[in-house]
Amino acid sequence: MDLAIDLSNPAKALSLPHIRYQLIRLEDTVLYHLIERAQFPLNSPIYTPGALQIPNSTLSFSDWVLREQEKLQSQIRRFQSPDEYPFFPDAMQPLILPPLEYPKILWENDVNCAAKPQRAEKAAVEEAQENYGSAATADVNCLQSLSRRVHFGKFVAESKFQSSPETFVPLIKAGDTQGIDAAITDAKVEKKVLERLRLKAEMYGTDPGMDAEAPRKVNVDGVVAMYKDHVIPLTKVVEVDYLMQRLKGSEWE
Amino acid sequence: MDLAIDLSNPAKALSLPHIRYQLIRLEDTVLYHLIERAQFPLNSPIYTPGALQIPNSTLSFSDWVLREQEKLQSQIRRFQSPDEYPFFPDAMQPLILPPLEYPKILWENDVNCAAKPQRAEKAAVEEAQENYGSAATADVNCLQSLSRRVHFGKFVAESKFQSSPETFVPLIKAGDTQGIDAAITDAKVEKKVLERLRLKAEMYGTDPGMDAEAPRKVNVDGVVAMYKDHVIPLTKVVEVDYLMQRLKGSEWE
């Protein structure tokens, strides 16, 4: 669906400042969607297959809604974009628009960890009663923005690889995933991400017309913990998985 | 889709403070969605029927995406909720969940102005190139939240009617729509809405990590103008249309 702005320009797409800008902007998107989701109770039955009977499907209600969304969005080019990955690759439909020609930015790879962020998101939401459709619809936005954030790791990884193949090639050849993980980790940047996220969650989650002491529209600690415990680690999993496939067919193979 | 929280409680649903709270919270939703939409260019071809060829449809691309969304959302009860109205009533599908029993809060009416906010929203977006799917998808969120805001006028109207039938019954009987419009208008509240909206657009549209002088993520003046010139007037159209049907079958007919 061409959500990825500027992915038509490979040099820009792989410049680290540009990637950072995108990731920072994506934090806003994630937060807006989480704040919207937090209006509704957790509604745990929507996540349990069989808890709600759905005609001709064994999926949970939440997964069914997500899958139907992906069916629709696949028709309008969402998953053509190199930063978009479906949770349900089997649900993809024919395009109704002519395909877009994206330049080759990433190395050939099959990394898709879109099934994983789901659990992470729930941490930021509180428990209670009924708004199944609303909750599941809000979940789609949350999950898709989190998935996009996590898969942006591919661009980060490609960018880091290109600027220092001498670091990565030996680690990749040795299958040293821990070494790769260490090489891509920047603890200072991670700390800054979490600080910025907290500040934004406070700001976007506060109604300026209300009492400053009013409860935030989203669980700020929950959001920060979700990034710390799930989003950042998953992004690194994507980066490592991507790099492990980076030499195949390359000059270093 | 049961997006409407607390509509299961008629007394609460019609209390003016409660309605105000909902409308204020909806401003946030509208702003988040507009900020997301403003990431993408206007992409005017998506609004022009025929500009993009869509198999088996004469709709504009944007309308096609909206209609497909409504088809999906109609299955998960969105339009059962008394504050949700489809842009494409002909696209409604059978429910996959058991229907919800909402108590009767509004008087029987057929007011649906969901086709109108579309033009209003465009004012807040700038012109440019290509992200058709992304833009149309972001539009769905904008349009649906604006439509919900506008149709909330029914609750406002019912609440005002119940607290002062002696004001409204003669005006309605006389078909005095201008008189009704005057009776429901509170210029001070409208001014406050616009001020609060400006403050929020500034706050949610600013990244706290960036330079305070950096451009906002959304056109603040555009958002305020959209509410002033379109959202508020359209809400009043809904209120007046609703009230014009309020006596039918009632004790005042």
Side-chain angles (χ1 to χ4, degrees):
Chain A
M1 164 159 83
D2 36 300
L3 248 171
I5 304 169
D6 288 328
L7 288 185
S8 53
N9 178 341
K12 207 169 167 194
L14 290 179
S15 95
L16 223 39
H18 178 72
I19 292 173
R20 282 223 175 101
Y21 171 83
Q22 294 267 24
L23 289 175
I24 290 172
R25 179 62 188 79
L26 250 172
E27 290 162 6
D28 298 359
T29 300
V30 167
L31 279 168
Y32 299 145
H33 293 323
L34 285 174
I35 290 169
E36 287 300 291
R37 174 62 178 91
Q39 294 181 95
F40 307 105
L42 174 58
N43 291 326
S44 33
I46 68 177
Y47 303 112
T48 311
L52 303 174
Q53 293 298 331
I54 300 165
N56 310 315
S57 174
T58 56
L59 292 176
S60 71
F61 178 67
S62 171
D63 278 348
W64 184 85
V65 173
L66 177 56
R67 190 173 187 278
E68 291 299 309
Q69 276 290 358
E70 290 196 335
K71 272 165 77 173
L72 170 54
Q73 294 177 341
S74 68
Q75 296 177 265
I76 58 174
R77 304 195 294 215
R78 183 181 191 108
F79 304 106
Q80 283 228 297
S81 178
D83 61 344
E84 292 286 355
Y85 297 86
F87 289 83
F88 294 97
D90 64 304
M92 300 297 96
Q93 304 293 311
L95 294 175
I96 66 150
L97 293 180
L100 288 175
E101 290 302 325
Y102 286 100
K104 188 176 146 81
I105 298 169
L106 296 175
W107 203 253
E108 200 62 38
N109 73 92
D110 63 5
V111 180
N112 176 3
C113 85
K116 294 178 192 168
Q118 193 142 4
R119 242 158 288 142
E121 179 217 351
K122 288 182 205 165
V125 176
E126 320 273 320
E127 177 83 47
Q129 324 103 20
E130 269 216 19
N131 305 72
Y132 294 154
S134 309
T137 302
D139 275 340
V140 169
N141 286 331
C142 292
L143 288 171
Q144 289 187 329
S145 58
L146 286 169
S147 171
R148 191 161 165 249
R149 164 58 165 87
V150 165
H151 287 97
F152 238 87
K154 294 190 186 187
F155 296 90
V156 177
E158 178 64 25
S159 177
K160 289 183 176 170
F161 179 86
Q162 284 191 16
S163 57
S164 180
E166 67 282 7
T167 307
F168 290 100
V169 171
L171 292 168
I172 299 168
K173 285 196 164 167
D176 181 359
T177 52
Q178 281 198 313
I180 300 173
D181 187 86
I184 57 172
T185 296
D186 186 335
K188 247 196 275 178
V189 168
E190 286 178 17
K191 191 163 164 276
K192 236 171 108 179
V193 168
L194 297 179
E195 285 166 2
R196 190 176 52 230
L197 195 71
R198 177 175 295 279
L199 189 63
K200 287 183 182 180
E202 287 279 354
M203 189 151 159
Y204 305 151
T206 303
D207 181 332
M210 300 272 186
D211 186 345
E213 298 305 307
R216 300 292 174 261
K217 284 174 285 182
V218 72
N219 175 346
V220 176
D221 290 333
V223 170
V224 174
M226 181 187 73
Y227 253 69
K228 182 166 183 288
D229 299 336
H230 299 280
V231 177
I232 292 175
L234 264 176
T235 307
K236 289 202 270 191
V237 168
V238 167
E239 292 184 46
V240 172
D241 287 355
Y242 175 84
L243 288 169
M244 286 302 291
Q245 298 183 26
R246 183 57 183 81
L247 305 189
K248 207 180 152 197
S250 79
E251 59 189 283
W252 296 281
E253 193 178 18
Chain B
M1 163 160 81
D2 37 300
L3 247 171
I5 303 168
D6 288 327
L7 288 186
S8 53
N9 179 342
K12 205 169 168 194
L14 290 179
S15 94
L16 222 41
H18 179 71
I19 293 173
R20 281 224 175 100
Y21 170 83
Q22 293 267 24
L23 290 175
I24 290 172
R25 179 61 189 78
L26 251 172
E27 290 162 6
D28 298 359
T29 299
V30 167
L31 279 168
Y32 299 145
H33 292 323
L34 285 174
I35 289 169
E36 286 300 290
R37 173 62 179 88
Q39 294 182 96
F40 307 106
L42 175 57
N43 292 326
S44 31
I46 69 177
Y47 303 111
T48 311
L52 302 173
Q53 293 298 331
I54 300 164
N56 310 316
S57 175
T58 56
L59 292 175
S60 70
F61 177 67
S62 171
D63 278 349
W64 183 85
V65 173
L66 177 57
R67 191 172 187 281
E68 292 298 310
Q69 276 288 358
E70 291 196 335
K71 272 165 76 173
L72 170 54
Q73 294 177 341
S74 68
Q75 296 176 267
I76 58 172
R77 305 195 293 214
R78 184 182 192 107
F79 304 107
Q80 283 228 295
S81 177
D83 62 343
E84 292 286 355
Y85 298 86
F87 289 84
F88 294 97
D90 64 304
M92 299 299 95
Q93 304 293 311
L95 294 175
I96 67 151
L97 293 180
L100 289 174
E101 289 303 324
Y102 285 101
K104 188 175 145 81
I105 298 169
L106 296 175
W107 203 253
E108 200 60 38
N109 73 90
D110 62 5
V111 179
N112 176 2
C113 87
K116 295 178 190 168
Q118 193 142 5
R119 241 158 288 142
E121 179 217 352
K122 289 183 203 164
V125 175
E126 320 273 320
E127 177 83 45
Q129 326 105 19
E130 271 215 19
N131 305 74
Y132 294 155
S134 309
T137 302
D139 274 340
V140 169
N141 286 332
C142 291
L143 288 171
Q144 290 186 328
S145 57
L146 287 168
S147 172
R148 192 162 163 248
R149 165 57 164 88
V150 165
H151 287 97
F152 239 86
K154 295 189 187 190
F155 295 90
V156 177
E158 179 64 24
S159 177
K160 289 183 177 171
F161 180 86
Q162 285 191 16
S163 58
S164 180
E166 67 282 6
T167 307
F168 290 100
V169 171
L171 292 167
I172 298 169
K173 285 196 163 167
D176 182 359
T177 51
Q178 282 198 313
I180 299 173
D181 187 86
I184 57 172
T185 296
D186 186 334
K188 247 195 276 176
V189 167
E190 287 179 15
K191 191 162 164 274
K192 235 170 108 181
V193 168
L194 298 178
E195 286 166 4
R196 189 176 53 231
L197 196 71
R198 177 176 295 279
L199 190 63
K200 286 183 183 178
E202 287 279 355
M203 188 150 160
Y204 304 151
T206 303
D207 180 333
M210 299 273 185
D211 186 344
E213 298 305 306
R216 299 294 174 262
K217 284 174 285 182
V218 72
N219 176 347
V220 176
D221 290 333
V223 170
V224 175
M226 181 188 73
Y227 252 69
K228 182 167 182 288
D229 299 336
H230 300 279
V231 177
I232 292 175
L234 263 176
T235 306
K236 288 201 270 190
V237 168
V238 167
E239 293 185 44
V240 172
D241 287 356
Y242 175 82
L243 288 169
M244 286 300 292
Q245 299 184 25
R246 182 57 182 79
L247 305 189
K248 210 181 150 196
S250 79
E251 59 188 284
W252 296 279
E253 194 179 17

